[in-house]
Amino acid sequence: MGMTDCLFCKIVAGDVPATVVADAEEVLAFRDIDPKAPQHILVIPKRHYDTAFDMARDDPRLAGELLREAGEIAVAQEFADAGYRLLFNTGPDSGQEVMHAHLHILAGRPLGPMLTEPQE
């Protein structure tokens, strides 16, 4: 998929609407349209990278910026003290649905363990 076909690139360009939570120089954060928790926010680099690995390899500073922004959002949205989960899905087996690096922030209820039993 090229950047012109990328849903998140279209959101960054303003061609697709989103409920924006934070808009920084290199990072955009918006609410997930299919939330898995009461608070489900996506933090993305404005520059296109297919996966979190691609972003971390090519621009580790930017990867850190996504993490910093996630923390700032947790404080601003007032769920930092109760706790939150940060999650990168990388590649199809992980469940990554949009091939543009993105960090999920999940909060607003007890989330429990990621996996309850080993998967074979």
Side-chain angles (χ1 to χ4, degrees):
M1 174 187 312
M3 290 184 297
T4 58
D5 298 329
C6 174
L7 173 63
F8 290 172
C9 286
K10 290 178 181 179
I11 290 173
V12 170
D15 297 335
V16 172
T19 304
V20 173
V21 173
D23 188 354
E25 184 177 338
E26 298 180 284
V27 175
L28 184 69
F30 51 91
R31 297 201 178 276
D32 194 298
I33 62 169
D34 184 22
K36 307 300 184 217
Q39 294 279 351
H40 189 167
I41 298 166
L42 302 177
V43 184
I44 68 168
K46 290 183 176 179
R47 189 169 52 245
H48 183 90
Y49 293 95
D50 282 348
T51 68
F53 172 70
D54 295 332
M55 176 183 56
R57 179 192 59 219
D58 295 347
D59 193 344
R61 183 203 50 79
L62 180 58
E65 184 63 19
L66 264 70
L67 293 170
R68 188 202 60 74
E69 189 66 38
E72 295 291 332
I73 290 166
V75 170
Q77 296 290 314
E78 299 181 347
F79 55 76
D81 289 342
Y84 54 98
R85 178 172 290 160
L86 299 177
L87 175 68
F88 281 109
N89 292 322
T90 302
D93 280 356
S94 73
Q96 184 178 0
E97 296 175 2
V98 177
M99 293 306 291
H100 183 121
H102 57 285
L103 175 62
H104 295 261
I105 307 172
L106 300 157
R109 65 170 170 80
L111 297 169
M114 290 286 294
L115 296 174
T116 56
E117 296 179 21
Q119 303 293 311
E120 295 185 28

